[in-house]
Amino acid sequence: MYDSIVIGAGAAGCVVARQLAQLGGRRALIIEKRGHIGGNCYDRLDEYGILVHEYGPHIFHTNIEEVFSYLSRFTEWNLYKDGHQVVANINGRLIPVPFNLNTLRLVYEKEDADEIEKKLIAAYGAGSRVTVMELKKNPDPKIQAVAQYVYENIFLHYTMKQWGQSPEEISPEVTGRVPVLISYDNRYFQDKYQGVPKDGFTAMFANMLNHENITVRTNTDAADLLQLTEDGIWFEGKKFEGDVIYTGALDELYQCRYGRLPYRSLRFAFSHLEKEDFQQGHSVVNYTVSEDFTRITEFKYLTMQENTNGTTIVREYPFAYTGAENEIPYYSILNPENEALYQKYEQKAWLLPNLHLIGRLAEYKYYNIDAIVNKALHFADALLQSNKTKEERNE
C-alpha cells in the first residue's frame, strides 16, 4: 500500500512526506505517536480562544530564500516588523538580549560605555558576534569586566537552569547560540524573515500534508507496527522494501539497549489572566538570574492576536529527561561521551539500507526550523534521485 513510511509528523517528517508524494509520486504513510501533527511546533486554541504553542514558543526565522518560499506555499505569514525582540529580567531590571551595544549603555555610564564600545569594535569589528566564552579570554580588563557581567547576569544561571550544567561543561555549539553583538541591533535573531504562520504552525503543516498520496495515522506508536531485524524492516507482519524515514529518538527505536541518550526536557505551566495585558512589556522575557523558570511567553503578542479574551502566558521549567510517560526529549546534551553513545545506535541503523535518519532526535543534534526544513528538502531530493537510479538499473 505504501512506498515510504515516515515516523514522526514534525517539520522534518512533514516536509519529506510532501516532497516524496508530490515530486516522486510516492505513497507515503506518516505514523505519529502523539494525537496531532506538527511535532513540537504544534499550536492550538486554548479554552479562551487564544492561539498557544503547546510546547513553548516557536518562531520561524531564516535567511534561506528557498525555505521561506517553500513554506509560503502552505501559509501566509505574520512577520515581525522590527524582528523578534527579547529582554532579560535581571532582578527586576529589563535589558535587551543578546547583550549588545544598547545593553552596554543601559549597564554602564556614557563615558565608560563609549570607551568599551571602541575597544569592542577594535577587537572584534563592528557588527560581529562574539561568544561570551571568547569574550572572557580578552586580556583587556574592561572587556573582561563586560564579559563577566554577561557571564554572571545573562549566561551562568540561565545555563545552569536550562542545561543542568555550567557553561564550561556544555558544548561550544550550545554556548555559541548566546552571542554578544557588537551592534545596536536589538533583534534576538538577525535573519531577514522573522515571524509565525498567520493561521498557526499546525495549519501550515496540515496544508502541507493535504495530498492524495499522503496518509497520516496519529495516536499510533510505530513500535506496534514496525519490527527491525537483521533481515530488514517488517511492517504489520510483512517485509517492507520501501524507505523508512525515522525522525524520533534513535535510542528509543532500539529500546535503549546501549543506554539512554541524555536530553533536557521542559515542563510548561500555562496561566490565563482576565486582563488585557500581563504587563511584562515583551512577548518573551528571559529570567536569567532569579526564579526557577527560564522564561515567560505572552502568546497574544508572540502571534499578533487582537481582540482576545484576556491573555495567556506560559512559564518554562527545564529538567532532566528520564523517558517517563508524557516526558518529551527536547534538547540533546552534546559532549564526547554522549556523541559516542549516539554513534553506536547510528552504526546499528546503518545496517538497514532502507532506514534513514533525519531530525533533532534521530540525529541527536539541534536544528532551527529553517535548518531542518532545508535539510529535509535536500534529503528528499537525494532520496528520490537514489530511488530513480536504482529503478533504472533494474529495468
Side-chain angles (χ1 to χ4, degrees):
M1 291 179 61
Y2 305 108
D3 302 304
S4 303
I5 297 174
V6 180
I7 312 301
C14 288
V15 170
V16 170
R18 176 71 187 212
Q19 294 301 91
L20 295 181
Q22 181 173 336
L23 300 183
R26 304 283 170 172
R27 295 162 298 176
L29 170 67
I30 294 185
I31 302 174
E32 171 56 55
K33 189 174 184 179
R34 290 185 276 194
H36 57 75
I37 63 170
N40 293 338
C41 289
Y42 170 69
D43 46 23
R44 61 174 177 82
L45 292 176
D46 68 8
E47 58 184 301
Y48 306 98
I50 296 176
L51 184 67
V52 300
H53 294 182
E54 183 79 5
Y55 306 103
H58 283 77
I59 295 149
F60 175 75
H61 56 97
T62 192
N63 283 321
I64 308 173
E65 293 287 346
E66 179 187 8
V67 169
F68 182 73
S69 176
Y70 178 77
L71 293 180
S72 295
R73 292 165 48 190
F74 309 107
T75 186
E76 295 180 17
W77 297 94
N78 281 334
L79 296 176
Y80 301 136
K81 181 180 177 182
D82 298 316
H84 177 53
Q85 298 190 22
V86 176
V87 296
N89 185 313
I90 300 176
N91 299 317
R93 185 184 187 189
L94 301 181
I95 65 172
V97 290
F99 189 99
N100 59 46
L101 298 181
N102 287 316
T103 321
L104 178 71
R105 295 186 176 278
L106 289 174
V107 174
Y108 287 88
E109 296 294 334
K110 184 180 185 306
E111 185 176 342
D112 286 337
D114 288 343
E115 180 184 1
I116 295 169
E117 177 180 337
K118 290 178 182 178
K119 288 176 177 288
L120 288 170
I121 292 174
Y124 304 104
S128 61
R129 301 164 61 92
V130 187
T131 69
V132 65
M133 306 306 277
E134 183 180 352
L135 209 64
K136 288 183 70 176
K137 298 176 183 177
N138 191 294
D140 189 293
K142 292 206 170 183
I143 292 181
Q144 282 188 4
V146 172
Q148 193 61 28
Y149 178 89
V150 176
Y151 182 81
E152 291 181 358
N153 291 282
I154 298 176
F155 199 60
L156 175 61
H157 303 288
Y158 189 89
T159 299
M160 293 291 289
K161 286 191 289 185
Q162 181 73 11
W163 295 99
Q165 297 175 306
S166 71
E168 290 80 7
E169 293 176 297
I170 63 178
S171 166
E173 182 177 328
V174 175
T175 59
R177 296 202 296 268
V178 189
V180 171
L181 305 183
I182 316 301
S183 74
Y184 285 94
D185 189 347
N186 276 348
R187 296 176 302 165
Y188 194 74
F189 308 111
Q190 281 64 56
D191 297 310
K192 178 179 179 180
Y193 302 106
Q194 301 182 38
V196 292
K198 190 172 183 179
D199 296 318
F201 284 99
T202 305
M204 179 182 73
F205 288 119
N207 291 336
M208 191 180 293
L209 297 180
N210 183 17
H211 192 281
E212 61 184 359
N213 288 338
I214 297 176
T215 301
V216 180
R217 296 190 197 176
T218 55
N219 291 309
T220 303
D221 191 339
D224 296 333
L225 304 178
L226 288 169
Q227 290 79 44
L228 276 58
T229 71
E230 294 181 357
D231 297 326
I233 301 174
W234 302 77
F235 173 65
E236 294 185 324
K238 297 180 180 179
K239 192 170 185 180
F240 186 73
E241 302 290 353
D243 293 300
V244 174
I245 296 92
Y246 184 75
T247 71
L250 188 55
D251 56 341
E252 295 181 0
L253 179 65
Y254 292 102
Q255 296 78 49
C256 300
R257 67 177 60 181
Y258 304 128
R260 182 174 292 282
L261 284 167
Y263 289 90
R264 294 294 285 177
S265 188
L266 295 167
R267 178 175 67 84
F268 299 100
F270 287 84
S271 301
H272 184 80
L273 298 93
E274 292 296 337
K275 59 181 184 179
E276 182 65 21
D277 189 283
F278 182 57
Q279 298 181 339
Q280 68 175 6
H282 293 76
S283 60
V284 178
V285 175
N286 290 352
Y287 286 78
T288 57
V289 178
S290 59
E291 315 297 345
D292 294 332
F293 48 84
T294 52
R295 60 183 173 179
I296 295 178
T297 299
E298 187 167 11
F299 287 105
K300 64 187 295 182
Y301 298 118
L302 187 80
T303 55
M304 305 182 196
Q305 298 172 63
E306 299 177 354
N307 303 317
T308 61
N309 178 22
T311 190
T312 299
I313 64 171
V314 68
R315 294 175 173 86
E316 297 181 37
Y317 297 85
F319 66 94
Y321 177 70
T322 68
E325 188 174 1
N326 297 323
E327 287 185 3
I328 296 172
Y330 285 99
Y331 304 110
S332 54
I333 300 176
L334 301 179
N335 59 41
E337 180 182 359
N338 295 345
E339 290 172 10
L341 177 57
Y342 170 78
Q343 288 170 8
K344 291 182 69 173
Y345 288 110
E346 184 182 41
Q347 289 166 5
K348 189 164 185 62
W350 285 344
L351 298 176
L352 297 172
N354 60 332
L355 176 63
H356 310 279
L357 309 176
I358 183 171
R360 276 190 180 194
L361 300 180
E363 297 180 65
Y364 200 65
K365 65 187 299 185
Y366 183 88
Y367 282 107
N368 286 325
I369 298 170
D370 68 327
I372 194 57
V373 169
N374 188 52
K375 178 157 189 179
L377 288 171
H378 292 282
F379 168 84
D381 287 346
L383 187 59
L384 288 171
Q385 183 59 48
S386 175
N387 287 333
K388 181 180 179 182
T389 301
K390 291 177 185 177
E391 290 167 1
E392 290 172 348
R393 288 174 179 169
N394 293 330
E395 287 181 355

